[in-house]
Amino acid sequence: MASAQLDQLKLAMAATNALFTNEVVLNRNFGALDDVYTADARILPPGAPMISGREAIKKFWTDLVQAANAKSAVLSSVEVIPAGDGVVEIGRATLAFVDSPDEMQAKYVVYWRQEAGRWKWDVDIWNPNS
Amino acid sequence: MASAQLDQLKLAMAATNALFTNEVVLNRNFGALDDVYTADARILPPGAPMISGREAIKKFWTDLVQAANAKSAVLSSVEVIPAGDGVVEIGRATLAFVDSPDEMQAKYVVYWRQEAGRWKWDVDIWNPNS
């Protein structure tokens, strides 16, 4: 992939990640998850079996963000690996909470696909660093 | 990808997975990890930061399999998604231990690449189901 094309891809991915951090976590606008996950996305959260489909994923994040009283999330790409029609991303996440000064450090792998012209998370797995 | 080609790919992946379950976990032959991971593979284990490079990964598994006194591992593919030169696999793992009757259920995402004609794990992340 040409360098300019990769830059373009990274910008598109950053826009989707910003939807998650700003709309979903910060503003608790869970409808924004329609533009974050593909319709048949799968998430693999620690402590639970795999969850399939955007509607079930929306319920998962709605419950978790509220239960944890999340304050903010910061996502940063560590590697962006173009893979056919998709992209494999390795990243770091930092989560902060309203009720605690402790931040949580996590890492993730997301397999991205395009849906209706937008880059979205198709497979999303993460775990905590400690 | 044609169906016969996909079947061939799945057989090659199963052979690599069998190296991990039979050689690494069962026989504690950690040298077999040379044929499981690419030279610059990355693993993202729960409870620790990302680890890069096969030598560091070999140390990780040597320490963990011995410390946990692992008895057996069963890996099963849930999805195999061809992605350019690589493959994204979603899978389930069941781990058993010498000192405990409790099994551990986990799930993983592996990004596979070919190295020297063999399909290997290039990015490997997992977490427990409970």
Side-chain angles (χ1 to χ4, degrees):
Chain A
M1 181 177 285
S3 167
Q5 215 180 342
L6 186 59
D7 287 348
Q8 203 63 32
L9 173 63
K10 287 180 179 175
L11 280 176
M13 292 168 63
T16 300
N17 286 351
L19 276 181
F20 186 81
T21 56
N22 298 346
E23 284 307 311
V24 177
V25 179
L26 210 60
N27 295 337
R28 302 195 181 184
N29 168 17
F30 299 105
L33 289 165
D34 288 335
D35 291 331
V36 174
Y37 286 99
T38 62
D40 61 353
R42 286 77 80 213
I43 64 171
L44 295 89
M50 182 166 84
I51 296 170
S52 294
R54 188 160 64 211
E55 288 314 306
I57 291 171
K58 286 169 78 171
K59 175 165 173 23
F60 171 87
W61 282 118
T62 302
D63 291 350
L64 186 68
V65 168
Q66 292 175 342
N69 211 357
K71 188 169 68 178
S72 68
V74 176
L75 304 179
S76 55
S77 286
V78 174
E79 283 190 53
V80 172
I81 309 166
D85 293 338
V87 175
V88 174
E89 181 199 14
I90 301 175
R92 266 194 289 265
T94 302
L95 289 147
F97 307 93
V98 174
D99 307 317
S100 161
D102 296 333
E103 294 187 335
M104 182 182 152
Q105 307 291 333
K107 55 202 176 304
Y108 62 84
V109 172
V110 170
Y111 176 58
W112 293 71
R113 304 208 55 174
Q114 274 187 296
E115 186 184 68
R118 186 187 279 273
W119 283 98
K120 298 186 182 182
W121 305 351
D122 192 49
V123 179
D124 178 19
I125 180 170
W126 66 95
N127 64 39
N129 284 10
S130 60
Chain B
M1 181 176 286
S3 167
Q5 215 180 343
L6 186 59
D7 287 346
Q8 202 64 31
L9 173 63
K10 286 180 179 175
L11 281 177
M13 292 168 63
T16 300
N17 285 351
L19 277 182
F20 186 81
T21 55
N22 298 345
E23 285 305 312
V24 177
V25 178
L26 211 59
N27 294 337
R28 301 196 182 183
N29 168 15
F30 299 106
L33 289 165
D34 288 335
D35 290 332
V36 173
Y37 286 98
T38 62
D40 62 352
R42 286 77 83 211
I43 63 171
L44 295 87
M50 182 166 84
I51 296 169
S52 296
R54 189 160 62 211
E55 290 313 306
I57 291 170
K58 287 169 78 172
K59 177 167 173 18
F60 172 87
W61 282 117
T62 304
D63 291 352
L64 187 68
V65 169
Q66 292 176 341
N69 211 357
K71 187 169 66 177
S72 68
V74 176
L75 305 179
S76 55
S77 286
V78 174
E79 284 189 52
V80 172
I81 309 165
D85 293 339
V87 174
V88 175
E89 181 199 14
I90 301 174
R92 267 193 289 263
T94 303
L95 289 147
F97 306 93
V98 174
D99 308 318
S100 161
D102 296 332
E103 294 189 335
M104 184 182 151
Q105 307 291 334
K107 56 202 176 302
Y108 62 85
V109 172
V110 169
Y111 176 57
W112 294 70
R113 303 206 57 174
Q114 273 186 297
E115 185 184 69
R118 186 187 278 273
W119 281 98
K120 298 186 181 182
W121 304 352
D122 192 49
V123 179
D124 179 19
I125 179 170
W126 66 94
N127 64 39
N129 284 10
S130 59

